[in-house]
Amino acid sequence: MALSLEEQTRIDLAATFRIIAHLGMHEAVANHFSAAVSADGKQFLLNPKWKHFSRIRASDLLLLNADDPSCGDHPNVDATAWSIHGQIHRLLPQTRAVLHLHPVYTTAVACLAKPHIPPIDQNTARYFNRVAVDELYGGMADTEAEGARLAGLLGGKRRLLMGNHGVMVTAASIGEAFDDIWTLERACQILVTAWSTGQPLRVLSDDVAEKTARGWEGITDFSRQHFAEMKQLMIDADPSVLD
């Protein structure tokens, strides 16, 4: 019997948490991922408050409604998660997956006086002119107004480099979002390593960087298959993710 959209989304999102923990990109029991399960994008799944990514199962995910303020009062809903993810799913219905992380290299780049990702290789070029930047960090994002502000900053882009904070990636599918945030962290690792040499960077021309970024946008099947392979590795290692 075929799985419903919600059932499949639960499995895919639970697997994403396991993958991120496996890769060491998580932060203690913080950070949140969400995925829409309704046509209007307002019903979405979210991880419960303070549960380690490596232990999350499909059944653990909370089903919330972005139009229902009482969801923010649920004891297992973190205030910052509701503020950010609730507003994004309410205001940007085309967004089906939202991943917010504090990965080391991407966060390091976000802490620069002027956060930016110059195109120096194929990975960094994926983000040429395609990352919004927030330079107004003001503490924990625990209000709906702050969540709405962050949603507005995306401005047609799918990634937000959150100054002095971390990163948020949005996408049309969980698979695309996972591959994107994985590649973004790899890109920043390459960039920080290159900067650490103290030598001048060989930055790609705008034409080549734009051509490369468009090339990435043409292979979303690559992104989805990267996720499918990683998901299967997690299922093979611990089938409890499916519970």
Side-chain angles (χ1 to χ4, degrees):
M1 180 182 297
L3 297 175
S4 68
L5 174 61
E6 181 182 330
E7 289 169 333
Q8 187 61 62
T9 304
R10 283 182 175 277
I11 291 171
D12 289 350
L13 194 57
T16 305
F17 289 109
R18 299 283 185 107
I19 295 167
I20 291 298
H22 173 73
L23 296 172
M25 292 172 64
H26 60 300
E27 178 146 308
V29 291
N31 295 166
H32 304 89
F33 301 164
S34 61
V37 294
S38 62
D40 64 3
K42 294 183 179 182
Q43 292 185 50
F44 64 96
L45 300 172
L46 179 75
N47 51 308
K49 183 178 181 179
W50 301 338
K51 189 176 182 70
H52 199 278
F53 282 14
S54 66
R55 299 181 58 240
I56 290 179
R57 302 168 300 170
S59 60
D60 291 325
L61 300 172
L62 307 173
L63 179 61
L64 307 177
N65 187 325
D67 278 341
D68 182 359
S70 69
C71 289
D73 298 326
H74 191 289
N76 284 333
V77 173
D78 180 74
T80 61
W82 174 250
S83 298
I84 296 174
H85 294 257
Q87 290 303 302
I88 290 176
H89 286 293
R90 187 177 71 83
L91 298 170
L92 303 174
Q94 73 278 13
T95 297
R96 307 304 294 181
V98 182
L99 310 185
H100 170 56
L101 283 176
H102 304 160
V104 173
Y105 290 96
T106 306
T107 303
V109 172
C111 291
L112 298 176
K114 286 295 180 181
H116 67 298
I117 304 173
I120 62 170
D121 79 316
Q122 189 162 285
N123 289 315
T124 49
R126 180 174 181 171
Y127 303 100
F128 180 68
N129 287 339
R130 286 161 171 80
V131 179
V133 178
D134 176 22
E135 297 185 65
L136 296 177
Y137 178 75
M140 297 290 187
D142 57 1
T143 67
E144 291 188 1
E146 177 63 5
R149 185 186 73 85
L150 294 173
L153 285 174
L154 286 168
K157 294 183 170 68
R158 296 194 296 107
R159 304 101 173 181
L160 179 62
L161 194 58
M162 305 166 77
N164 304 106
H165 187 173
V167 66
M168 180 166 60
V169 165
T170 68
S173 74
I174 292 172
E176 291 168 61
F178 161 70
D179 178 67
D180 200 358
I181 209 163
W182 182 90
T183 304
L184 183 56
E185 175 67 356
R186 176 60 64 92
C188 288
Q189 182 178 9
I190 292 167
L191 183 59
V192 169
T193 302
W195 272 329
S196 72
T197 68
Q199 299 298 309
L201 301 182
R202 185 188 296 273
V203 180
L204 300 175
S205 70
D206 287 359
D207 287 345
V208 171
E210 177 63 26
K211 178 183 177 182
T212 305
R214 290 182 180 178
W216 276 106
E217 291 168 347
I219 55 170
T220 54
D221 55 333
F222 167 89
S223 297
R224 292 190 296 271
Q225 189 58 33
H226 179 199
F227 171 69
E229 291 289 319
M230 293 299 295
K231 179 175 73 171
Q232 191 59 53
L233 286 174
M234 296 303 99
I235 293 171
D236 292 346
D238 183 359
S240 72
V241 68
L242 302 173
D243 294 348

